[in-house]
Amino acid sequence: MNLFNSALGKNITFVRPAYFIISGFSGIPNIDYYYVFLCFVYIVSVLGNTVVMAVIYLDHNLRTPKYIAVFNLAFVDLLGSSALVPKLLDIFLFNHRYISYNDCLTFLFFCYTCLSMQVFNLVALSYDRLIAIMHPLHYQVKVTHRFMLSLIAFFWVFANTLNFVAVGLLTRLSFCRSVAINSYFCDHGQIYRLACNDNFPNYVISCLFPVLIFWLPFIFILLSYLYIGCTLAKVATVQEGLKAFRTCTAHLSLVAIYFIPVLITFTLMEKINPNARIMNLSLTSILPPTLNPIIYVLQTQEIKKSVKKLLKIRRKSKMIKKCTPNMTHSL
């Protein structure tokens, strides 16, 4: 991180605290039940995303460009939940609100990277549906395994670079007043506002973050589905249009689950209660990784068929194992 400090061209001593304090909710009775709920949600998230990843890996028919993005989404959801929830429970349920300076920046990096990749995966899936519906004859040529892997790799590099810069710029801040972070995790916006020296570069990053990892992806997804809807309305019958749009229902559900709570929070940022803001953002970080695998299993025919096929194969293998000892005994 010295790269960011030396870039200033001055020999400056930065005052870095030994720890930060995560304040979290304030004045809410029996809030421990909420953390128990988060623990339950986390377990469901781990199981659900592991199942989706296992099904895609085991079924060769699902090794298509679309399911490369779905696999990556499940992986990011699993990684993001594991980076956030166990630490969240440790901080609040076991009252370990003091977090060291380096651990806090690491916590921030992983949380923001996973949140960014959740959005970018939705962009990749949106592009996949756009080409599949609008250019079905050219889909195999335009959306190849190589293209999807390259797109996801680019998103990973972009998300890591952006968050590395954000964390690096935090290391040039001095904290000589409060070290209490008014959030449920090491939130970038809450940290840089505690600094007592120039935090303008951090302010610029905080303005770029919503644009690059929220508004631009959201606008792209919105425009892609508006284009799909308008085109289908012109060239297809109602039944054909509905049939084509049904292939998008799972993805649209994921988009709604992720973006609606964030839109509400951003719209009511000045009016919303701090506890309500923390509650809304924490649920936005935790519920989508839990609901994503459930939605894909329930609304995607390919995964339904794959799960049924894998269960049949498992039952057959169990029956063969049971029959084999009996046959050898009779012989």
Side-chain angles (χ1 to χ4, degrees):
M1 294 299 178
N2 291 328
L3 172 66
F4 294 92
N5 298 335
S6 62
L8 298 174
K10 298 178 182 179
N11 187 15
I12 301 173
T13 301
F14 297 98
V15 180
R16 296 171 181 169
Y19 56 84
F20 287 105
I21 302 171
I22 310 295
S23 62
F25 297 100
S26 59
I28 300 180
N30 301 317
I31 193 62
D32 286 350
Y33 291 112
Y34 177 67
Y35 302 124
V36 174
F37 165 74
L38 293 185
C39 182
F40 171 76
V41 169
Y42 172 65
I43 293 170
V44 175
S45 173
V46 170
L47 293 174
N49 286 293
T50 302
V51 167
V52 170
M53 291 169 65
V55 169
I56 295 172
Y57 177 77
L58 294 172
D59 192 344
H60 293 274
N61 295 325
L62 294 180
R63 295 186 185 180
T64 61
K66 173 186 174 181
Y67 285 102
I68 290 173
V70 174
F71 184 93
N72 191 60
L73 178 63
F75 172 73
V76 170
D77 287 344
L78 183 61
L79 183 64
S81 297
S82 299
L84 178 63
V85 178
K87 189 64 179 176
L88 205 67
L89 297 176
D90 180 58
I91 291 171
F92 297 112
L93 199 57
F94 299 101
N95 203 26
H96 296 157
R97 293 174 184 259
Y98 292 81
I99 180 170
S100 70
Y101 178 85
N102 289 331
D103 287 349
C104 190
L105 295 188
T106 304
F107 188 27
L108 183 154
F109 176 81
F110 278 104
C111 287
Y112 269 81
T113 299
C114 292
L115 287 172
S116 304
M117 281 306 301
Q118 284 180 347
V119 181
F120 293 148
N121 273 298
L122 294 178
V123 171
L125 288 168
S126 176
Y127 178 80
D128 174 86
R129 290 299 85 202
L130 179 66
I131 301 301
I133 294 174
M134 304 311 301
H135 306 284
L137 298 177
H138 302 284
Y139 177 77
Q140 300 290 342
V141 177
K142 291 187 176 183
V143 185
T144 62
H145 287 80
R146 183 176 180 179
F147 172 81
M148 187 59 74
L149 288 170
S150 300
L151 182 64
I152 290 172
F154 169 77
F155 284 149
W156 272 109
V157 172
F158 181 72
N160 277 283
T161 303
L162 185 65
N163 288 291
F164 178 76
V165 171
V167 171
L169 288 174
L170 287 176
T171 63
R172 59 172 293 279
L173 297 179
S174 292
F175 300 89
C176 45
R177 294 192 294 269
S178 174
V179 291
I181 301 172
N182 185 24
S183 186
Y184 64 99
F185 76 117
C186 293
D187 193 341
H188 176 268
Q190 299 299 324
I191 292 176
Y192 87 80
R193 289 186 181 92
L194 297 174
C196 52
N197 62 335
D198 178 32
N199 61 8
F200 182 73
N202 307 87
Y203 169 74
V204 172
I205 287 291
S206 71
C207 293
L208 283 174
F209 252 103
V211 174
L212 294 176
I213 67 173
F214 179 77
W215 288 112
L216 287 180
F218 179 68
I219 290 170
F220 174 82
I221 293 170
L222 189 63
L223 289 177
S224 66
Y225 278 107
L226 285 174
Y227 180 62
I228 290 171
C230 291
T231 306
L232 289 177
K234 292 178 182 178
V235 301
T237 64
V238 175
Q239 290 182 343
E240 289 173 343
L242 289 174
K243 185 178 179 180
F245 225 80
R246 279 196 199 100
T247 63
C248 307
T249 53
H251 180 250
L252 283 172
S253 301
L254 304 186
V255 171
I257 289 168
Y258 184 86
F259 282 103
I260 288 175
V262 179
L263 276 171
I264 293 171
T265 304
F266 281 178
T267 304
L268 304 175
M269 185 63 77
E270 300 297 328
K271 301 177 182 179
I272 197 169
N273 181 275
N275 285 334
R277 178 181 62 84
I278 293 173
M279 180 78 72
N280 193 12
L281 290 177
S282 63
L283 289 175
T284 303
S285 303
I286 294 162
L287 282 182
T290 305
L291 296 175
N292 289 352
I294 298 172
I295 288 171
Y296 256 100
V297 170
L298 293 179
Q299 294 192 15
T300 308
Q301 292 298 324
E302 296 96 332
I303 291 188
K304 280 184 184 179
K305 292 177 182 177
S306 180
V307 170
K308 290 177 181 178
K309 184 173 73 175
L310 291 172
L311 289 174
K312 285 181 182 178
I313 292 171
R314 189 177 178 184
R315 286 172 187 168
K316 286 181 180 178
S317 63
K318 283 184 177 180
M319 290 178 67
I320 291 169
K321 286 180 181 179
K322 287 180 180 179
C323 294
T324 303
N326 293 331
M327 291 175 65
T328 54
H329 181 72
S330 62
L331 290 172

